[in-house]
Amino acid sequence: MGGFQGVTISGVKYTWVGNLAYFIVRSLLNPCTSRSIRNSLWVALRYHTPHLRTPDIRAPGVCQIHSFFFKVPISNLLIPMADAEPMLVPAPGGEKRACHALEEEEVDHSTKRPRVQKEEKNGGPSHKLSQDEGEEPEGEETEPLDEDGEGEGLGSGEAFAEMMKHGLTELDVGILKFVSEHQGFSGILKERYSDFVVHEINKEGKTVRLDDLSVPEEAEEAPVEQPESQVFTEEQNQQLEQLQLFKNKEGNVSIEVADDTKEKRTLVHKAVKTLYPGLETKTEEREGKKFIVAYHAAGQKALAEVKEAAAPRKHSWPKSRGAFCHFVLYKENRDTMEAINVLSKFLRMRPNVFSYMGTKDKRAITVQEIAVLKITAERLSHLNKCLNNFKLGNFCYKKHPLKLGELQGNHFTVVIRNITGTEEQVQQAMSSLRETGFINYYGMQRFGTTAVPTHQVGKAILQDNWKEVIDLILKPRPGAEKGYLVKCREEWAQSQDPEAALKKLPVKRCVEGQLLRGLSMYGKKNIITAFAMIPRNNRLMYIHSYQSFMWNTMVSRRIEAFGLKAVEGDLVLRGGTAFVLSAAEAETHSIQDVVMPLPGFDVIYPTHHVGKGYREMLSADNLDIDNMRHRVRDYSLAGAYRRILIKPSDVSWEVINYEDPRVSLVHTDVEKLEDQPPPVFNKEGKYRALRMEFSLPPSTYATMAIREVLKMDTSIKNQTQLNTTWLN
């Protein structure tokens, strides 16, 4: 290997060095790494490291690679060339930090908007929060996994970049104006998910942090006749622990019940489930003897067979203890509903026993409060041993659950890498953010990430043009896309046969799959009923996206026409009710007081010429501003009010020089708990980053605050181009 200079894989150059195999281990063990890239890496590894005796497997699965890497010394393998420009690792999502062990699959979810602005009343509040508060950008892009846990299709950064060429920019969704006069500069947002850290601010105004993993004394369950830890022998405890961590090759552990009584068997069943969350048990009879067989509830065939357990028995819960265990959930690169799904599977509970105040971003490190009904802190704390990218702590018992929208906001710690601005430019930009604020636009994630924006689908729904709705969701679209979706769309375009198109999807939980299943069940003449197969929150997302597009566009016109002052005809809120300002009243109000409406049947509009633009814009889309009720009640728009400007609180910042682009620049809660030192920065480092902190109220977008600082397009399309330029 001494003469080996490097190897090029998928257009990226790598070299051999004598340290940890940062890239290859991270990529090969990542379930999201595509089959083609995994195969290329595996072939290169086998060819250039014959001394490791790697097994002859083509495109090995994660389990095979996992098994191999735990048997060999991890050294002298592939990592990116040290003298190359800083680069993004091609494997998506591969950043691994402080939590250890197992992963679970994803679930998409939406939630309602907190009442910072007036409620949107189409059957309930808005169901689309900002991604900065945690929601996934678009249900239409829910990614199914194949048997190995791999996504198909967009396995490389090049393919994703190709897809983003056809994505949206800020101009496409009405985001046009800035409020500050400083000179902008460029930077890369969320190069690593650890560059975006969110701490929830609870209803008491306290920032939620994970700083205690201990179990409170009152959290311990009432003692049983025999301590659960003494039910098993030392060997059985070791076998069960190995099974819980997926290291037991047998796939189950059999425990013979010598004293065959129902009480003894019940004790063993309970001990397994309490001490080893994620394991399930059953009783088997072999040659006249009774055995309790423990197996993994989330393992392959068992996953499909295990039925969700009923709620815990009420009589087993102490009356003096609050019925809800509140805890702080720390998660990395996972969205809130995905986390809830993982916890519910390991605890064998239904997801609806959990409550929370708001969903949080996926591509971030987030900390928030969760409450669960009648699950002890002891059981929850056991999950820290077997969950990857999650930590649970700060346990306490209360008599009430949490409610959506109860939070006061979120505190953000954001790192913008590779900035080009001078110290003076940064100072001016951050001072303006602190003193003036930013336009409260709906961020890019509100409008989807593909060539078909969600607000176009919403417009078609409001127009009652259901053929157009189906066409927009199912038709082929420009740009690279996941392979199974491309095949599904092609089949639909050619045959218009929902059953044939549905067969092209390996997993049917994406929006396209749900819609096709509805068309198969109810036929193409019952499109409204078929469309209702999509979860309600996802359906409402489309029309709320159209409202957001209207609001962004009209606010840009308002800023263009009147600038940053209140004028006659503007709207302000008094006790939740909107009033039109007179000329005299406008003199006593500031732009911070002014609101603009989201269109609907229960709002009023500004009386100046910008307000009249609502009618013109809706008329151009064949919609009647005087009749925003829909024949399907769910799609009737009541409207809402939203402040034009938002001023963040607790604003602080610093410019950091650093040497290694792979190193985290934020000291996380888990790192502090583990007494890990904070990151040390090299003042002579060749890279510069802006690390900023600020707090925002609910339903506002941190990306729009960052946009005001950088004065650059925050769309994925533009950020992808920036990353590509930097890499090249």
Side-chain angles (χ1 to χ4, degrees):
M1 293 203 336
F4 180 70
Q5 298 299 315
V7 61
T8 298
I9 302 173
S10 298
V12 183
K13 204 166 186 179
Y14 301 89
T15 186
W16 300 102
V17 295
N19 60 9
L20 289 178
Y22 173 81
F23 169 77
I24 209 161
V25 174
R26 195 168 103 168
S27 300
L28 289 177
L29 294 181
N30 188 341
C32 296
T33 302
S34 72
R35 191 177 292 272
S36 59
I37 287 186
R38 181 174 290 158
N39 188 54
S40 299
L41 292 173
W42 190 255
V43 170
L45 176 65
R46 294 185 63 247
Y47 180 80
H48 293 289
T49 56
H51 61 290
L52 292 180
R53 298 181 182 177
T54 52
D56 187 8
I57 311 170
R58 179 172 178 80
V62 173
C63 292
Q64 293 167 307
I65 297 170
H66 190 281
S67 175
F68 167 70
F69 273 109
F70 276 88
K71 295 178 182 177
V72 300
I74 304 178
S75 58
N76 299 320
L77 300 180
L78 280 171
I79 67 167
M81 294 185 69
D83 57 349
E85 285 298 306
M87 60 183 67
L88 297 177
V89 178
E95 192 174 352
K96 185 172 181 180
R97 295 168 59 86
C99 298
H100 307 285
L102 309 176
E103 295 187 13
E104 282 283 342
E105 68 267 21
E106 305 172 11
V107 168
D108 194 37
H109 183 70
S110 297
T111 186
K112 69 180 181 181
R113 181 193 317 277
R115 198 181 176 91
V116 152
Q117 58 201 59
K118 183 178 177 183
E119 302 273 344
E120 295 180 8
K121 302 174 186 171
N122 38 320
S126 168
H127 287 259
K128 183 65 178 170
L129 280 180
S130 75
Q131 189 183 4
D132 304 326
E133 292 168 2
E135 190 172 64
E136 279 291 78
E138 186 181 4
E140 193 170 326
E141 294 303 318
T142 303
E143 179 178 349
L145 304 176
D146 62 23
E147 291 178 356
D148 293 324
E150 299 176 294
E152 182 184 345
L154 292 173
S156 68
E158 293 90 342
F160 181 75
E162 174 62 27
M163 181 180 75
M164 284 301 102
K165 287 181 181 179
H166 302 274
L168 297 173
T169 65
E170 289 182 349
L171 297 178
D172 298 323
V173 295
I175 301 174
L176 307 176
K177 298 297 179 179
F178 298 96
V179 297
S180 58
E181 298 179 355
H182 72 271
Q183 182 181 351
F185 50 92
S186 68
I188 299 177
L189 175 62
K190 290 191 180 182
E191 182 189 332
R192 301 167 61 86
Y193 69 73
S194 58
D195 289 345
F196 203 88
V197 180
V198 185
H199 287 85
E200 191 171 72
I201 302 173
N202 63 22
K203 61 182 178 181
E204 288 81 26
K206 180 182 177 182
T207 301
V208 176
R209 298 190 183 277
L210 180 72
D211 52 21
D212 184 7
L213 299 182
S214 65
V215 176
E217 291 182 6
E218 65 271 21
E220 296 180 6
E221 295 183 21
V224 293
E225 294 181 3
Q226 182 180 8
E228 290 166 345
S229 58
Q230 297 178 17
V231 172
F232 309 117
T233 65
E234 184 176 345
E235 181 182 0
Q236 288 171 339
N237 276 316
Q238 185 176 1
Q239 290 174 341
L240 289 167
E241 183 176 351
Q242 293 289 316
L243 179 63
Q244 185 188 40
L245 298 178
F246 284 113
K247 294 181 180 179
N248 185 314
K249 295 182 179 179
E250 300 298 323
N252 61 66
V253 173
S254 297
I255 302 166
E256 183 179 353
V257 185
D259 181 15
D260 184 19
T261 63
K262 184 176 181 180
E263 291 75 16
K264 174 66 175 177
R265 294 197 302 272
T266 300
L267 183 64
V268 175
H269 284 295
K270 181 180 178 183
V272 170
K273 295 175 182 180
T274 301
L275 296 175
Y276 302 98
L279 298 188
E280 190 58 270
T281 57
K282 59 184 178 181
T283 303
E284 290 185 358
E285 186 170 346
R286 304 172 186 170
E287 300 178 356
K289 297 180 180 179
K290 291 285 183 69
F291 289 85
I292 305 296
V293 180
Y295 58 95
H296 211 293
Q300 296 179 357
K301 294 182 179 179
L303 178 60
E305 296 171 358
V306 174
K307 296 182 179 179
E308 293 178 291
R313 296 170 186 166
K314 294 181 181 178
H315 67 263
S316 66
W317 194 263
K319 293 182 179 180
S320 60
R321 178 191 293 165
F324 296 89
C325 182
H326 288 234
F327 62 94
V328 171
L329 171 66
Y330 168 102
K331 62 183 181 63
E332 298 182 355
N333 207 28
R334 297 289 185 270
D335 68 50
T336 300
M337 274 313 299
E338 178 186 353
I340 295 299
N341 242 336
V342 171
L343 297 179
S344 63
K345 281 186 177 178
F346 273 83
L347 295 168
R348 299 176 304 283
M349 304 298 295
R350 294 181 177 87
N352 61 6
V353 301
F354 292 89
S355 58
Y356 45 88
M357 294 182 286
T359 57
K360 297 290 178 280
D361 196 4
K362 176 178 179 177
R363 186 164 174 76
I365 293 175
T366 69
V367 183
Q368 68 183 117
E369 188 175 349
I370 305 287
V372 60
L373 175 64
K374 292 187 176 179
I375 295 291
T376 65
E378 186 176 26
R379 285 189 68 187
L380 291 168
S381 69
H382 277 300
L383 298 178
N384 286 330
K385 300 176 182 179
C386 57
L387 290 179
N388 190 40
N389 288 5
F390 300 104
K391 281 289 184 184
L392 287 64
N394 296 83
F395 304 102
C396 65
Y397 293 97
K398 297 183 180 181
K399 296 180 180 180
H400 56 81
L402 295 170
K403 295 181 180 178
L404 285 168
E406 281 186 328
L407 74 169
Q408 286 195 17
N410 294 285
H411 183 77
F412 298 89
T413 303
V414 180
V415 174
I416 311 294
R417 295 186 183 244
N418 203 37
I419 61 170
T420 60
T422 64
E423 293 282 350
E424 183 180 0
Q425 286 176 307
V426 171
Q427 178 72 20
Q428 291 175 349
M430 294 304 300
S431 297
S432 174
L433 180 68
R434 180 178 59 196
E435 295 160 12
T436 306
F438 61 96
I439 302 174
N440 194 19
Y441 285 124
Y442 287 96
M444 295 301 300
Q445 53 270 40
R446 185 81 161 186
F447 305 98
T449 57
T450 68
V452 178
T454 53
H455 68 273
Q456 288 186 8
V457 180
K459 179 174 70 174
I461 293 172
L462 295 174
Q463 292 171 339
D464 223 11
N465 187 350
W466 293 99
K467 185 179 183 302
E468 177 74 2
V469 171
I470 301 302
D471 193 36
L472 286 170
I473 295 175
L474 295 180
K475 72 179 180 181
R477 52 188 63 177
E481 200 174 26
K482 298 178 180 69
Y484 56 82
L485 279 175
V486 172
K487 294 174 184 176
C488 172
R489 297 188 195 284
E490 288 175 348
E491 178 62 41
W492 173 256
Q494 292 170 7
S495 68
Q496 296 287 298
D497 183 346
E499 292 186 6
L502 192 60
K503 290 178 181 178
K504 302 293 183 181
L505 295 176
V507 177
K508 279 55 175 181
R509 71 184 180 193
C510 59
V511 166
E512 292 85 352
Q514 291 159 334
L515 178 55
L516 288 168
R517 189 172 59 188
L519 291 170
S520 298
M521 292 173 62
Y522 302 108
K524 289 185 283 186
K525 292 185 178 180
N526 295 301
I527 293 179
I528 295 179
T529 307
F531 185 69
M533 290 291 289
I534 299 172
R536 182 176 183 270
N537 287 346
N538 286 37
R539 287 182 278 125
L540 295 183
M541 171 191 70
Y542 292 119
I543 57 174
H544 294 154
S545 178
Y546 179 75
Q547 284 181 304
S548 304
F549 170 71
M550 285 281 298
W551 193 91
N552 282 357
T553 303
M554 299 314 298
V555 165
S556 292
R557 291 187 188 180
R558 162 63 181 76
I559 298 293
E560 173 71 24
F562 303 116
L564 300 180
K565 63 178 182 179
V567 298
E568 181 181 3
D570 275 336
L571 302 181
V572 296
L573 291 178
R574 296 172 189 162
T577 303
F579 291 87
V580 179
L581 290 179
S582 65
E585 289 173 328
E587 295 295 328
T588 63
H589 287 78
S590 74
I591 189 67
Q592 304 283 350
D593 303 319
V594 178
V595 298
M596 290 281 280
L598 287 88
F601 60 78
D602 198 24
V603 296
I604 62 173
Y605 297 89
T607 56
H608 46 58
H609 69 83
V610 174
K612 296 175 183 177
Y614 279 92
R615 183 178 297 274
E616 297 167 1
M617 192 170 175
L618 287 168
S619 296
D621 289 339
N622 295 317
L623 295 172
D624 183 1
I625 196 171
D626 299 317
N627 184 19
M628 298 301 290
R629 296 186 187 273
H630 196 280
R631 63 185 176 117
V632 180
R633 183 178 178 182
D634 271 355
Y635 311 139
S636 293
L637 295 179
Y641 300 97
R642 182 177 175 89
R643 296 192 181 277
I644 290 180
L645 236 61
I646 290 292
K647 185 160 37 171
S649 58
D650 308 316
V651 179
S652 64
W653 67 91
E654 65 175 319
V655 175
I656 296 168
N657 288 76
Y658 62 101
E659 194 67 34
D660 189 347
R662 298 170 299 179
V663 171
S664 173
L665 304 180
V666 178
H667 200 203
T668 67
D669 287 2
V670 167
E671 289 169 342
K672 292 174 184 176
L673 272 171
E674 296 176 347
D675 293 324
Q676 295 185 30
V680 178
F681 308 117
N682 181 357
K683 294 183 179 180
E684 305 300 323
K686 57 182 177 180
Y687 307 120
R688 296 172 68 242
L690 169 60
R691 186 171 67 185
M692 64 176 81
E693 294 193 39
F694 52 87
S695 299
L696 294 176
S699 191
T700 52
Y701 288 67
T703 49
M704 293 296 98
I706 295 164
R707 168 187 182 270
E708 187 67 39
V709 170
L710 300 179
K711 287 200 170 179
M712 63 179 291
D713 192 326
T714 58
S715 65
I716 298 178
K717 178 177 181 178
N718 185 57
Q719 289 292 309
T720 303
Q721 291 170 348
L722 279 175
N723 276 284
T724 304
T725 302
W726 191 29
L727 292 179
N728 293 334

Short mmCIF file of all heavy atoms in Angstrom, two decimals, residues 50-73:
data_model
loop_
_atom_site.label_atom_id
_atom_site.label_comp_id
_atom_site.label_asym_id
_atom_site.label_seq_id
_atom_site.Cartn_x
_atom_site.Cartn_y
_atom_site.Cartn_z
N PRO A 50 -6.30 -6.53 0.78
CA PRO A 50 -6.46 -7.99 0.79
C PRO A 50 -6.13 -8.62 2.14
O PRO A 50 -6.63 -9.67 2.48
CB PRO A 50 -5.49 -8.46 -0.31
CG PRO A 50 -4.49 -7.34 -0.42
CD PRO A 50 -5.25 -6.09 -0.15
N HIS A 51 -5.29 -7.91 2.93
CA HIS A 51 -4.89 -8.47 4.22
C HIS A 51 -6.06 -8.50 5.21
O HIS A 51 -6.01 -9.20 6.22
CB HIS A 51 -3.75 -7.64 4.82
CG HIS A 51 -4.11 -6.22 5.07
ND1 HIS A 51 -4.31 -5.31 4.04
CD2 HIS A 51 -4.33 -5.54 6.23
CE1 HIS A 51 -4.62 -4.14 4.55
NE2 HIS A 51 -4.64 -4.26 5.88
N LEU A 52 -7.13 -7.76 4.93
CA LEU A 52 -8.27 -7.76 5.85
C LEU A 52 -9.22 -8.93 5.60
O LEU A 52 -10.13 -9.17 6.38
CB LEU A 52 -9.03 -6.44 5.72
CG LEU A 52 -8.29 -5.20 6.22
CD1 LEU A 52 -9.17 -3.97 6.04
CD2 LEU A 52 -7.91 -5.34 7.68
N ARG A 53 -9.04 -9.63 4.47
CA ARG A 53 -9.87 -10.79 4.13
C ARG A 53 -11.35 -10.44 4.16
O ARG A 53 -12.16 -11.11 4.81
CB ARG A 53 -9.59 -11.94 5.10
CG ARG A 53 -8.15 -12.42 5.03
CD ARG A 53 -7.90 -13.58 5.97
NE ARG A 53 -6.52 -13.99 5.94
CZ ARG A 53 -6.01 -14.95 6.70
NH1 ARG A 53 -6.79 -15.60 7.55
NH2 ARG A 53 -4.74 -15.28 6.61
N THR A 54 -11.70 -9.41 3.47
CA THR A 54 -13.11 -9.02 3.41
C THR A 54 -13.90 -10.07 2.65
O THR A 54 -13.45 -10.59 1.65
CB THR A 54 -13.25 -7.66 2.70
OG1 THR A 54 -12.57 -7.71 1.46
CG2 THR A 54 -12.67 -6.57 3.55
N PRO A 55 -15.12 -10.39 3.11
CA PRO A 55 -15.92 -11.42 2.44
C PRO A 55 -16.30 -11.00 1.03
O PRO A 55 -16.47 -9.82 0.73
CB PRO A 55 -17.15 -11.54 3.34
CG PRO A 55 -17.19 -10.30 4.15
CD PRO A 55 -15.78 -9.84 4.30
N ASP A 56 -16.47 -11.99 0.16
CA ASP A 56 -16.79 -11.73 -1.25
C ASP A 56 -18.30 -11.54 -1.39
O ASP A 56 -19.03 -12.46 -1.71
CB ASP A 56 -16.29 -12.88 -2.12
CG ASP A 56 -16.46 -12.57 -3.60
OD1 ASP A 56 -16.81 -11.42 -3.94
OD2 ASP A 56 -16.25 -13.48 -4.41
N ILE A 57 -18.76 -10.34 -1.13
CA ILE A 57 -20.19 -10.04 -1.21
C ILE A 57 -20.36 -8.84 -2.13
O ILE A 57 -19.61 -7.88 -2.05
CB ILE A 57 -20.77 -9.67 0.17
CG1 ILE A 57 -20.35 -10.70 1.22
CG2 ILE A 57 -22.27 -9.54 0.12
CD1 ILE A 57 -20.68 -10.28 2.63
N ARG A 58 -21.35 -8.92 -3.00
CA ARG A 58 -21.63 -7.76 -3.85
C ARG A 58 -22.70 -6.89 -3.19
O ARG A 58 -23.73 -7.37 -2.77
CB ARG A 58 -22.13 -8.22 -5.24
CG ARG A 58 -22.45 -7.04 -6.15
CD ARG A 58 -22.74 -7.53 -7.55
NE ARG A 58 -23.09 -6.43 -8.41
CZ ARG A 58 -22.24 -5.61 -8.98
NH1 ARG A 58 -20.95 -5.76 -8.77
NH2 ARG A 58 -22.65 -4.63 -9.77
N ALA A 59 -22.43 -5.57 -3.09
CA ALA A 59 -23.36 -4.62 -2.46
C ALA A 59 -23.88 -5.16 -1.13
O ALA A 59 -25.06 -5.41 -0.97
CB ALA A 59 -24.51 -4.30 -3.39
N PRO A 60 -22.98 -5.40 -0.16
CA PRO A 60 -23.41 -6.01 1.10
C PRO A 60 -24.41 -5.13 1.85
O PRO A 60 -24.41 -3.93 1.73
CB PRO A 60 -22.10 -6.13 1.89
CG PRO A 60 -21.26 -5.02 1.34
CD PRO A 60 -21.61 -4.93 -0.12
N GLY A 61 -25.25 -5.78 2.63
CA GLY A 61 -26.20 -5.06 3.47
C GLY A 61 -25.51 -4.51 4.70
O GLY A 61 -24.37 -4.86 5.03
N VAL A 62 -26.22 -3.65 5.42
CA VAL A 62 -25.66 -3.02 6.61
C VAL A 62 -25.26 -4.06 7.65
O VAL A 62 -24.22 -3.95 8.28
CB VAL A 62 -26.69 -2.03 7.20
CG1 VAL A 62 -26.18 -1.48 8.53
CG2 VAL A 62 -26.94 -0.89 6.25
N CYS A 63 -26.11 -5.07 7.83
CA CYS A 63 -25.82 -6.08 8.86
C CYS A 63 -24.53 -6.83 8.55
O CYS A 63 -23.73 -7.12 9.43
CB CYS A 63 -26.98 -7.07 8.98
SG CYS A 63 -28.48 -6.32 9.64
N GLN A 64 -24.31 -7.17 7.26
CA GLN A 64 -23.08 -7.88 6.88
C GLN A 64 -21.85 -7.00 7.13
O GLN A 64 -20.83 -7.46 7.64
CB GLN A 64 -23.16 -8.28 5.40
CG GLN A 64 -24.23 -9.32 5.12
CD GLN A 64 -24.51 -9.46 3.64
OE1 GLN A 64 -24.78 -8.48 2.97
NE2 GLN A 64 -24.43 -10.67 3.15
N ILE A 65 -21.96 -5.72 6.77
CA ILE A 65 -20.83 -4.82 6.96
C ILE A 65 -20.59 -4.60 8.45
O ILE A 65 -19.46 -4.59 8.92
CB ILE A 65 -21.10 -3.47 6.26
CG1 ILE A 65 -21.23 -3.71 4.75
CG2 ILE A 65 -19.99 -2.48 6.52
CD1 ILE A 65 -21.73 -2.50 4.01
N HIS A 66 -21.68 -4.41 9.19
CA HIS A 66 -21.59 -4.21 10.63
C HIS A 66 -20.85 -5.38 11.28
O HIS A 66 -19.95 -5.20 12.10
CB HIS A 66 -23.00 -4.08 11.20
CG HIS A 66 -23.05 -3.63 12.63
ND1 HIS A 66 -22.81 -4.47 13.67
CD2 HIS A 66 -23.28 -2.40 13.18
CE1 HIS A 66 -22.92 -3.81 14.80
NE2 HIS A 66 -23.20 -2.55 14.54
N SER A 67 -21.23 -6.61 10.88
CA SER A 67 -20.60 -7.80 11.44
C SER A 67 -19.11 -7.86 11.12
O SER A 67 -18.29 -8.15 11.97
CB SER A 67 -21.30 -9.05 10.88
OG SER A 67 -20.64 -10.21 11.32
N PHE A 68 -18.75 -7.48 9.88
CA PHE A 68 -17.35 -7.54 9.47
C PHE A 68 -16.50 -6.53 10.21
O PHE A 68 -15.44 -6.83 10.73
CB PHE A 68 -17.24 -7.32 7.96
CG PHE A 68 -15.82 -7.05 7.50
CD1 PHE A 68 -14.87 -8.05 7.51
CD2 PHE A 68 -15.45 -5.78 7.10
CE1 PHE A 68 -13.58 -7.80 7.10
CE2 PHE A 68 -14.16 -5.52 6.70
CZ PHE A 68 -13.22 -6.54 6.70
N PHE A 69 -16.98 -5.29 10.31
CA PHE A 69 -16.16 -4.23 10.88
C PHE A 69 -15.92 -4.40 12.37
O PHE A 69 -15.01 -3.79 12.93
CB PHE A 69 -16.77 -2.85 10.61
CG PHE A 69 -16.33 -2.28 9.30
CD1 PHE A 69 -17.23 -2.20 8.24
CD2 PHE A 69 -15.04 -1.87 9.09
CE1 PHE A 69 -16.83 -1.70 7.03
CE2 PHE A 69 -14.63 -1.35 7.89
CZ PHE A 69 -15.53 -1.27 6.85
N PHE A 70 -16.75 -5.21 13.02
CA PHE A 70 -16.51 -5.45 14.43
C PHE A 70 -15.54 -6.62 14.67
O PHE A 70 -15.27 -6.99 15.78
CB PHE A 70 -17.83 -5.69 15.17
CG PHE A 70 -18.50 -4.44 15.56
CD1 PHE A 70 -19.37 -3.82 14.68
CD2 PHE A 70 -18.25 -3.82 16.77
CE1 PHE A 70 -20.00 -2.64 15.02
CE2 PHE A 70 -18.87 -2.65 17.11
CZ PHE A 70 -19.75 -2.05 16.23
N LYS A 71 -15.02 -7.19 13.57
CA LYS A 71 -14.09 -8.31 13.71
C LYS A 71 -12.68 -7.94 13.29
O LYS A 71 -11.76 -8.74 13.43
CB LYS A 71 -14.56 -9.49 12.85
CG LYS A 71 -15.88 -10.09 13.32
CD LYS A 71 -16.31 -11.23 12.41
CE LYS A 71 -17.64 -11.80 12.83
NZ LYS A 71 -18.11 -12.86 11.91
N VAL A 72 -12.48 -6.75 12.69
CA VAL A 72 -11.15 -6.38 12.19
C VAL A 72 -10.73 -5.06 12.79
O VAL A 72 -11.55 -4.25 13.19
CB VAL A 72 -11.16 -6.26 10.65
CG1 VAL A 72 -11.54 -7.55 10.00
CG2 VAL A 72 -12.06 -5.14 10.19
N PRO A 73 -9.40 -4.82 12.88
CA PRO A 73 -8.95 -3.51 13.32
C PRO A 73 -9.31 -2.46 12.27
O PRO A 73 -9.07 -2.66 11.09
CB PRO A 73 -7.43 -3.68 13.43
CG PRO A 73 -7.09 -5.05 12.99
CD PRO A 73 -8.32 -5.75 12.56
#
